[in-house]
């Protein structure tokens, strides 16, 4: 297993990267961030990732690279495209990046990377039961981790409640779009987490995404039997998880 790896986190607004010490989960470089190209087309994103790597300089040149992305990823192929260009559906994304970057990479779902990082270095570091990690952003990303093992590609953000894809109602983007108060938004989150609780009976929920730093405004409003805590790694979770996967951790 490598001790150092590069993690790249591709999101709807930014592409971030850093070199990571995967045994501790600490960053070994500055975090580089560039805006996601308009339209989110595959070739443009590969180019931006090249730029991010260039900016990281020599520091990670020989290290494994993990890239995380907001889609279902099976054997390096992106099978979905919620909130990104439809060109990603059915694309051999891992090979596309390997060609563009001239080296091997590991390509994984963004919430899986973030969730795995929380299980290794963050809010679930000490909990080895069944953990559901949810990221509340443009969409709702989810990761299932059982006894430290990631069960990949859970798409629980798209659970249908009241006849609609609940991500469209309960993601942070819905709060912003509809100008919901914390109380109004929390009512939607309550329905969401209660449904997950009834279906999975997890030992712990972890709530990530940028809004998790404001957890005091909404987590106390939820009434659940399962403990629910904010993510610890915040903005770095995707980078850390992608790096960990690439290193073989
Ligand atoms: C996508 C997931 C992704 C999540 C967070 C959802 O819309 O379906 O694959 O993990 O957004 O980006």
């Amino acid at each position: 297993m490598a001790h150092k790896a590069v993690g790249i986190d591709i999101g709807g607004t930014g592409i971030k990267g850093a070199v990571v010490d995967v045994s501790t989960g600490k960053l070994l470089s500055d975090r580089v961030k560039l805006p996601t190209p308009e339209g989110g087309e595959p070739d443009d994103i590969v180019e931006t990732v090249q730029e991010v790597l260039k900016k990281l300089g020599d520091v990670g040149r020989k290290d494994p690279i993990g890239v995380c992305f907001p889609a279902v990823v099976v054997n390096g192929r992106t099978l979905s495209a919620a909130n990104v260009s439809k060109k990603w559906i059915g694309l051999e994304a891992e090979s596309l990046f390997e060609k563009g970057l001239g080296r091997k990479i590991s390509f994984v779902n963004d919430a899986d990377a973030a969730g795995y990082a929380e299980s290794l270095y963050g809010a679930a570091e000490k909990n080895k039961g069944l953990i559901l990690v949810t990221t509340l952003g443009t969409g709702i990303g989810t990761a299932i981790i059982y006894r430290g093992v990631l069960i990949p590609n859970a798409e629980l953000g798209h659970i249908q409640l009241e006849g609609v894809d609940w991500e469209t109602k309960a993601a942070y983007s819905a709060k912003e779009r509809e100008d919901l108060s914390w109380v109004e938004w929390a009512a939607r989150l309550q329905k969401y987490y209660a449904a997950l609780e009834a279906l999975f009976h997890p030992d712990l929920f972890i709530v990530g995404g940028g809004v998790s730093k404001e957890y005091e405004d909404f987590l106390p409003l939820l009434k659940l039997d399962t403990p629910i805590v904010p993510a610890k790694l915040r903005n770095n979770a995707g980078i850390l998880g992608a790096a960990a996967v690439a290193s073989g951790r």
Side-chain angles (χ1 to χ4, degrees), residues 58-198:
D58 267 346
V59 62
R61 201 174 286 283
K62 295 218 178 65
D63 302 314
I65 301 184
V67 179
C68 69
F69 186 80
V72 171
V73 184
V74 178
N75 297 327
R77 197 155 166 251
T78 37
L79 298 189
S80 66
N83 310 311
V84 288
S85 154
K86 297 293 171 226
K87 291 209 175 132
W88 290 89
I89 300 176
L91 187 76
E92 294 289 348
E94 195 170 74
S95 324
L96 182 78
F97 277 81
E98 288 180 343
K99 266 185 222 126
L101 305 178
R103 53 197 275 196
K104 286 263 167 223
I105 65 145
S106 303
F107 202 78
V108 292
N109 171 265
D110 58 351
D112 280 349
Y116 193 49
E118 289 294 336
S119 83
L120 287 175
Y121 317 114
E125 200 187 359
K126 296 200 173 62
N127 189 323
K128 294 294 168 224
L130 176 62
I131 295 154
L132 285 194
V133 183
T134 58
T135 61
L136 304 174
T138 310
I140 298 182
T142 56
I144 303 177
I145 292 127
Y146 182 58
R147 296 188 172 172
V149 175
L150 171 72
I151 293 147
N153 289 313
E155 285 285 325
L156 305 177
H158 299 293
I159 276 181
Q160 299 255 330
L161 296 175
E162 299 172 1
V164 290
D165 176 342
W166 206 242
E167 168 181 284
T168 63
K169 294 280 179 189
Y172 179 60
S173 58
K175 178 182 187 306
E176 292 205 301
R177 192 174 53 244
E178 298 182 45
D179 202 14
L180 302 176
S181 66
W182 291 112
V183 171
E184 288 166 325
W185 188 48
R188 297 183 182 188
L189 292 175
Q190 174 66 34
K191 285 187 186 156
Y192 181 60
Y193 289 106
L196 290 185
E197 187 170 60

Side-chain angles (χ1 to χ4, degrees), residues 31-48:
R31 207 171 66 141
V32 172
K33 183 170 178 181
L34 293 176
T36 305
E38 196 74 32
E41 303 273 321
D43 288 337
D44 298 340
I45 290 197
V46 172
E47 226 170 85
T48 309

Side-chain angles (χ1 to χ4, degrees), residues 17-51:
V19 183
V20 175
D21 178 336
V22 290
S23 42
T24 60
K26 298 273 175 280
L27 297 192
L28 296 172
S29 72
D30 284 343
R31 207 171 66 141
V32 172
K33 183 170 178 181
L34 293 176
T36 305
E38 196 74 32
E41 303 273 321
D43 288 337
D44 298 340
I45 290 197
V46 172
E47 226 170 85
T48 309
V49 170
Q50 279 166 340
E51 287 299 309

